Amino acid sequence: MNWDQIEGKWKEMSGSVKAKWGDLTDDEMAEINGNREKLEGKIQAKYGKSKEEAKAEVDEFLSKH
């Protein structure tokens, strides 16, 4: 699945995203609203990851969905 598909199905995919990154709040999930850059930014902030690490985690998530 590519990110455009996830963005289009954000409501369905948000459960999987929340399962992977459980520290994200419902408000943050609503703010992300399928935007990959916002998701990566929230992962960086919540988990203390570098931009590259956050991108790699999202890439890994994409490869499994």
Side-chain angles (χ1 to χ4, degrees):
M1 186 174 287
N2 67 36
W3 194 260
D4 288 335
Q5 292 169 310
I6 288 177
E7 195 170 14
K9 298 179 180 184
W10 182 246
K11 292 222 186 285
E12 295 89 4
M13 292 301 302
S14 62
S16 296
V17 171
K18 189 96 161 136
K20 170 85 174 148
W21 296 286
D23 288 348
L24 296 174
T25 66
D26 291 339
D27 287 345
E28 289 170 328
M29 293 295 290
E31 184 183 328
I32 292 165
N33 196 30
N35 183 300
R36 181 182 173 134
E37 290 177 2
K38 286 184 181 179
L39 174 60
E40 290 175 2
K42 294 292 183 192
I43 293 167
Q44 284 179 265
K46 283 276 186 177
Y47 294 94
K49 305 276 184 180
S50 70
K51 186 173 185 170
E52 293 76 21
E53 288 172 323
K55 183 181 183 325
E57 282 192 16
V58 173
D59 287 342
E60 179 187 341
F61 175 80
L62 276 177
S63 73
K64 295 180 180 177
H65 290 88

